[in-house]
């Protein structure tokens, strides 16, 4: 492990070397949260025709001109199955098609209704009370654009437009290759990968350089994460195994925790990240390096999927210069933030106790008290 | 449908009538995003013993006192399987247990190493380079507290503590009872319910008051949503069917869209919400009324699960007084917001085109231009 590379350089490497995966079809109802691979357009207007937007009587707006409390106008209630005759009105329920000829719907509580006629006491606007054909979505307009995430409302609109399935970016297949036995990093990473839309599988632990290198080269993964063995110790073979299997681009990153992380790729182009085995370092090397790459493969925004808020420091936050320092913080009773014991000292315990983190850039020694800073909040 | 009830009164009704469900065990690895039903505490300290935090040599800090470049102190490298003899040092890898007697680890690059001895040129602090027993989590300390969501880091900590499963709040079972055929509301609501941690099933459409009432009473649901039939029309039986099946608490809510929504409960205590059939109204009656109740059943925070940001209006936002008005907005190129055609006019199309919404309270007529307002953003 040589000089530590800046996180900015790693991020640039990811942008240059990691591409969005190809796409696959998915049923509309199962598409929530997936990322559209292409624009999907409405082939017909929505609504397809003019529909009543409320319960009321449908009539011709032009025939209501001049109506007032002093000049109530009567309309003959007719059956709605045929075209509307002059002077006629038809009871319609919200969502029902307008009878041909009608162009407005007056709500029931605005109308005086008798057995065979109804009386209007103010003029109705054409189009009022009507969902006009194409008013929601015009024919040819996008229901979703390439790169957008499918929201619940998108699924509703796709259903309304009769679109059964759509192309979404394939979920990245992530292979974890541990260098020692143990559940902690595997379960931690599997949860992170699931959160970011990936599908995790875990290979058997490989300690030796040759077998580790072979495990990296095995086909079937879009992203490989080596877990542990990233340090400078005699038993640490992750970097050498990656160099054997493909190319090691960087080993050592200026982040804390996680500074023994590494980056490279296989001859097939599949990116490989070396994550430290200490759980807190594994967590942050994932969050700052592997996670952005995974989200990029899956077509998602690469930023940390946490809540973001500008908050004020109640105590100063001290950071090491020369590294991107991940500082755990808690919210105070007056909704400011203060630092707690860091990941180096408290490991995953810091993640359990923190409400979020402040990420202090490489060139900074931290933040003074009473400074407004960007906070990444875990639970928002 | 009488006078419209304020959203605040509905929210208070939900707080008084909807309780968190009972709990169920779930395997640690499948617990991401679930809500802990009880505190889970570490039964042993984490780490369980003192471990090396880095690759280096373990020794006794007291024996390094006085070391300097002018007074290098030599330590004999010994095998680490037994207790550390006086004057001895042991090679350790990060994560390895300290040999009994050692209390500090000096990084390899701070030590001069020969075949059988190593030389120290500055004093080491006791505990430096060591993950001390209990430094991450003390025995008896909480790994997660009742009501907290399980984060990926929690899963890692549970794994480290050897906890295989935990009790989480059961996922609410939600029955959709449509009053007409069609996919749009079903798919829209199923996606919303899935997002909020519920399990949706859809009953056959029931148009008649008696069969609708019977469908509401069917057992097996923690929450029932009637979809459509909420208006004042002759074919609208949702409110009457709920009154027949149990009790109708409110019909008509001062929200726009969604003002024909209703609220009540079955004799079993199961809450029932009546959602309008028009998709945009269905969406917002869910988001403002049914969603909070569902999230409360599941032990989640009841607020809208959107990103929140304070942003400045680039144009004024006009709202009707007397209703909570959901106003769709888009972000401008200079990262302000401006309103677009509303849900009443543009239906679900407004949800497709908007980046988020501003929710204008009942007593307000909207927001002037250049005002900072709270924006709920769909994709953050």
């Amino acid at each position: 492990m040589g000089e530590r590379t800046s996180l900015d350089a790693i991020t640039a490497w990811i942008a240059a070397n990691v591409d969005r995966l190809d796409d696959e079809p998915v049923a509309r109802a199962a598409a929530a949260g997936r990322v559209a691979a292409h624009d999907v357009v409405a082939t017909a207007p929505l609504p397809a025709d003019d529909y009543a937007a409320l319960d009321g009587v449908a009539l011709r707006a032009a025939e209501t001109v001049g109506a007032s409390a002093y000049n109530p106008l009567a309309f003959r209630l007719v059956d709605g199955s045929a075209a509307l005759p002059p002077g006629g009105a038809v009871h319609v329920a919200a969502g029902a098609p307008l009878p041909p000829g009608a162009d407005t719907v007056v709500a029931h509580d605005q109308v005086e209704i008798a057995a065979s006629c109804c009386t209007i006491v103010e003029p109705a606007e054409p189009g009022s009370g009507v969902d006009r054909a194409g008013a929601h979505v015009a024919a040819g307009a996008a229901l979703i654009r390439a790169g957008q995430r499918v929201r619940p409302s998108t699924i509703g609109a796709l259903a309304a437009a009769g679109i059964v399935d759509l192309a979404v970016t394939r979920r990245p297949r992530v292979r974890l290759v541990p260098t020692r036995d143990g559940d902690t990093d595997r379960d931690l990473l599997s949860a992170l990968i699931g959160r970011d839309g990936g599908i995790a599988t875990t290979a058997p632990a490989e300690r030796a350089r040759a077998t580790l290198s072979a495990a990296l080269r095995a086909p079937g993964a879009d992203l490989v994460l080596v877990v542990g063995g990233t340090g400078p110790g005699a038993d640490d073979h992750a970097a050498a195994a990656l160099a054997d299997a493909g190319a090691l681009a960087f080993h050592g990153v200026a982040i804390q925790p996680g500074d023994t992380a590494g980056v490279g790729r296989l001859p097939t182009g599949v990116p490989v990240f070396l994550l430290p085995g200490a759980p807190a370092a594994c967590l942050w090397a994932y969050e700052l390096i592997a996670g952005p790459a995974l989200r990029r493969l899956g077509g998602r925004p690469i930023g940390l999927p946490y809540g973001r808020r500008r908050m004020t420091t109640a105590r100063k936050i001290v950071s090491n210069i020369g590294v991107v320092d991940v500082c755990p913080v808690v919210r105070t009773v007056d909704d400011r933030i203060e630092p707690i014991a860091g990941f180096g000292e408290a490991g995953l315990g810091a993640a359990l106790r923190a409400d979020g983190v402040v990420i202090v850039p490489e060139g900074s020694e931290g933040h003074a008290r009473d400074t407004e800073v960007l906070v990444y909040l875990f639970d928002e």
Side-chain angles (χ1 to χ4, degrees), chain A residues 59 62-68 71-75 118-123:
Chain A
L59 33 72
E63 295 180 351
T64 67
V65 172
S68 74
N71 182 34
L73 297 181
F75 291 80
C118 65
T119 311
I120 303 288
V121 295
E122 59 179 313

Side-chain angles (χ1 to χ4, degrees), chain A residues 1-4 179-180 209 228-240 248 251-253 256 258-262 274-278 281:
Chain A
M1 194 167 86
E3 193 82 345
R4 292 183 301 190
T179 60
R180 64 192 77 161
R209 177 169 167 172
T230 60
D235 296 332
D236 289 324
H237 303 303
L248 177 70
H251 185 205
V253 184
Q256 196 65 49
D259 66 341
T260 62
L274 314 180
L275 306 181

Side-chain angles (χ1 to χ4, degrees), chain A residues 280-355:
Chain A
C282 182
L283 167 62
W284 287 105
Y286 177 89
E287 291 291 45
L288 298 177
I289 300 173
L294 172 55
R295 295 192 289 274
R296 197 173 159 88
L297 285 169
R300 298 178 175 223
I302 62 165
L304 274 178
Y306 296 162
R308 281 151 210 241
R309 251 177 79 185
R310 298 201 69 84
M311 299 177 78
T312 303
T313 52
R315 287 200 293 127
K316 76 172 173 185
I317 294 176
V318 179
S319 157
N320 290 316
I321 203 155
V323 292
V324 171
D325 210 338
V326 184
C327 301
V329 296
V330 292
R331 293 164 82 144
T332 61
V333 287
D334 58 350
D335 211 24
R336 296 191 293 165
I337 51 150
E338 60 182 28
I340 60 172
F343 293 101
E345 186 184 332
L348 277 187
L352 298 183
R353 288 183 284 273
D355 294 313

Side-chain angles (χ1 to χ4, degrees), chain A residues 19-300:
Chain A
D19 289 326
R20 199 168 80 161
L21 296 175
D22 52 332
D23 52 79
E24 63 184 3
V26 64
R28 163 187 89 213
R34 301 297 296 271
V35 178
H38 311 293
D39 290 4
V40 178
V41 300
T43 53
L46 280 177
D49 275 307
D50 292 348
Y51 291 96
L54 39 81
D55 296 296
V57 293
L59 33 72
R60 283 187 179 79
E63 295 180 351
T64 67
V65 172
S68 74
Y70 304 102
N71 182 34
L73 297 181
F75 291 80
R76 188 165 40 94
L77 285 168
V78 299
D79 176 40
S81 55
L84 190 70
V90 173
H91 279 295
V92 286
L98 286 206
D103 62 359
T104 191
V105 176
V106 181
H108 275 135
D109 59 5
Q110 306 292 315
V111 185
E112 202 162 293
I113 295 173
S116 63
C117 77
C118 65
T119 311
I120 303 288
V121 295
E122 59 179 313
E125 293 286 322
S128 168
V130 178
D131 274 340
R132 295 226 218 192
H136 298 184
V137 180
L143 297 164
I144 187 167
R145 296 202 173 277
Q148 280 189 324
R149 283 187 78 171
V150 178
R151 305 170 185 161
S153 56
T154 318
I155 292 177
L158 292 169
I163 287 166
V164 174
D165 51 32
L166 70 159
V168 296
T169 300
R170 189 160 61 69
R171 293 182 64 183
R173 299 160 300 168
V174 184
R175 184 188 307 124
L176 303 180
V177 184
T179 60
R180 64 192 77 161
D181 296 319
D183 299 340
T184 302
D185 288 338
R186 179 198 65 199
D187 286 5
L188 169 68
L189 288 169
S190 298
L192 290 163
I193 291 162
R195 179 199 70 189
D196 288 341
I199 302 166
T201 56
T202 304
E206 299 292 353
R207 290 164 188 278
R209 177 169 167 172
T211 55
L212 188 53
S213 178
L216 298 191
R217 281 192 306 262
D222 302 306
L223 177 66
V224 178
L225 304 181
V226 180
V227 189
T230 60
D235 296 332
D236 289 324
H237 303 303
L242 174 52
D244 294 347
L248 177 70
F250 305 104
H251 185 205
V253 184
I255 59 173
Q256 196 65 49
D259 66 341
T260 62
V263 174
R265 58 194 302 199
L266 301 177
T268 53
V270 167
V272 180
F273 296 94
L274 314 180
L275 306 181
C282 182
L283 167 62
W284 287 105
Y286 177 89
E287 291 291 45
L288 298 177
I289 300 173
L294 172 55
R295 295 192 289 274
R296 197 173 159 88
L297 285 169
R300 298 178 175 223

